[in-house]
């Protein structure tokens, strides 16, 4: 479970995150949606202890990330803090992570196979394509078999097979009872993958509801329409209608 309570963060003159509160529950895929600059990455970085909140707090299973014992075994993150050194081979990067976190070497082969990173295991990180880099990042995120996944645009750069694979992976992880928070700009993919959606704009929460509800029981096209309606005010259009901020009690 991830709990965000009254979280705020200013970058210079920009209020990137504005008194944000939500809960990400286990057993489902939660999509984190919002236009460019909405504050998604800033929020995810605060959840992962990579940025310090100006106010409020973000807790993972009741503790700030920095206070988690064996964080790599609790939380899988993408992008991870300190990505692969450009000169290091893909497999060596994951081996090094395993070694420094007391994770058995056999697990390295497992996650390399699972993510398709085995296909370019001997390439240097600096020579990987965008999608290969994402697969390597996902291998690192999954290494510790974590119960919480925090992934910033994991589909970025993946090919169609990779997107489909990612969808199955995320749904499988949620079905195992894990907490899965994924930021995305892809409405069609969100409609297929996510059970629940959080919509952010201007650092504030506009919706915290089931994907089905936001899509009005429809599919990807309806979800996209609802997203545009909801975020219109943030883009200088009309304000969202009543009941947009819905969902369930905290
Ligand atoms: N390091 C920084 N310095 C200054 N401003 C920043 C910094 N990081 C983010 N911002 C600003 O904070 C706001 C939120 O940015 P953030 O990256 O969190 O949004 P986002 O929802 O992840 O956007 P995108 O969808 O484009 O990735 C934006 O106005 C951005 O310009």
């Amino acid at each position: 479970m991830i709990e965000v309570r009254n979280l705020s963060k200013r970058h210079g003159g920009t209020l990137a995150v504005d008194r944000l509160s939500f809960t990400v529950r286990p057993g489902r895929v939660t999509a984190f949606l919002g236009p460019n600059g909405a504050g998604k990455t800033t929020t995810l970085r605060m959840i992962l202890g990579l940025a310090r909140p100006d106010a409020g707090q973000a807790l993972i299973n009741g503790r700030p990330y920095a206070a988690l014992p064996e964080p790599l075994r609790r939380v899988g993150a993408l992008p991870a803090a300190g990505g692969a050194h450009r000169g290091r081979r893909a497999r060596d990067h994951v081996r090094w992570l395993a070694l420094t976190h007391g994770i058995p070497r056999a697990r390295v082969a497992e996650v390399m196979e699972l993510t398709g990173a085995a296909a370019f295991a001997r390439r240097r990180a600096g020579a990987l394509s965008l999608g290969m880099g994402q697969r390597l990042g996902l291998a690192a995120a999954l290494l510790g078999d974590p119960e919480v996944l925090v992934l910033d645009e994991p589909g970025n750069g993946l090919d169609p097979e990779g997107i489909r694979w990612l969808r199955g992976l995320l749904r499988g992880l949620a079905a195992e009872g894990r907490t899965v928070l994924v930021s995305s700009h892809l409405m069609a993919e969100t409609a297929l993958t996510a059970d629940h959606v959080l919509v952010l704009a201007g650092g504030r929460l506009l919706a915290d509801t089931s994907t089905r509800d936001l899509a009005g029981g429809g599919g990807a096209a309806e979800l996209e329409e609802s997203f545009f309606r909801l975020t219109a005010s943030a883009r200088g259009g009309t304000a969202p209608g009543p009941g947009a901020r819905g969902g369930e009690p905290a």
Side-chain angles (χ1 to χ4, degrees):
M1 167 126 62
I2 300 170
E3 293 162 280
V4 165
R5 294 287 169 259
N6 279 315
L7 205 59
S8 292
K9 177 77 180 174
R10 188 174 280 283
H11 288 300
T14 306
L15 187 56
V17 175
D18 185 9
R19 290 162 290 161
L20 190 60
S21 296
F22 60 79
T23 300
V24 184
R25 298 180 195 282
R28 63 195 192 187
V29 177
T30 299
F32 201 26
L33 308 177
N36 290 135
K40 303 181 297 298
T41 296
T42 303
T43 303
L44 297 183
R45 286 177 55 78
M46 287 192 280
I47 291 171
L48 294 169
L50 298 170
R52 186 191 293 267
D54 293 334
Q57 58 179 358
L59 303 176
I60 297 177
N61 292 342
R63 297 183 190 200
Y65 183 92
L68 289 174
E70 300 186 294
L72 205 75
R73 291 179 184 270
R74 317 277 160 199
V75 185
L78 183 79
H85 184 283
R86 291 180 61 78
R88 191 172 270 160
R89 295 186 197 280
R91 184 171 47 209
D92 291 343
H93 169 63
V94 185
R95 276 185 183 161
W96 171 78
L97 279 176
L99 193 67
T100 51
H101 290 83
I103 291 167
R105 193 166 164 142
R107 178 69 181 156
V108 174
E110 263 176 39
V111 295
M112 294 295 284
E113 283 298 330
L114 178 68
T115 58
F120 49 84
R122 294 184 53 76
R123 281 212 214 172
R124 297 192 192 277
L128 299 180
S129 71
L130 177 60
M132 289 174 182
Q134 287 292 81
R135 287 175 189 266
L136 183 61
L138 286 163
L142 295 170
L143 186 64
D145 198 18
E147 63 197 82
V148 176
L149 276 300
V150 178
L151 308 175
D152 200 356
E153 299 190 50
N156 247 4
L158 291 186
D159 59 20
E161 181 274 330
I163 298 268
R164 179 185 280 186
W165 163 77
L166 180 65
R167 188 188 311 147
L169 176 79
L170 298 179
R171 296 214 52 76
L173 291 168
E176 288 168 3
R178 298 178 209 246
T179 302
V180 183
L181 177 61
V182 188
S183 79
S184 179
H185 287 300
L186 309 174
M187 293 299 135
E189 195 47 42
T190 296
L192 290 172
T193 307
D195 306 288
H196 200 86
V197 287
L198 301 167
V199 182
L200 198 66
R204 306 203 69 171
L205 198 64
L206 300 183
D208 177 351
T209 188
S210 72
T211 311
R212 177 179 283 271
D213 277 359
L214 191 63
E222 289 82 0
L223 184 69
E224 186 180 81
E225 275 314 308
S226 293
F227 174 82
F228 283 134
R229 213 168 35 248
L230 208 50
T231 56
S233 55
R235 289 176 289 112
T238 51
R245 184 186 172 134
E248 53 184 42

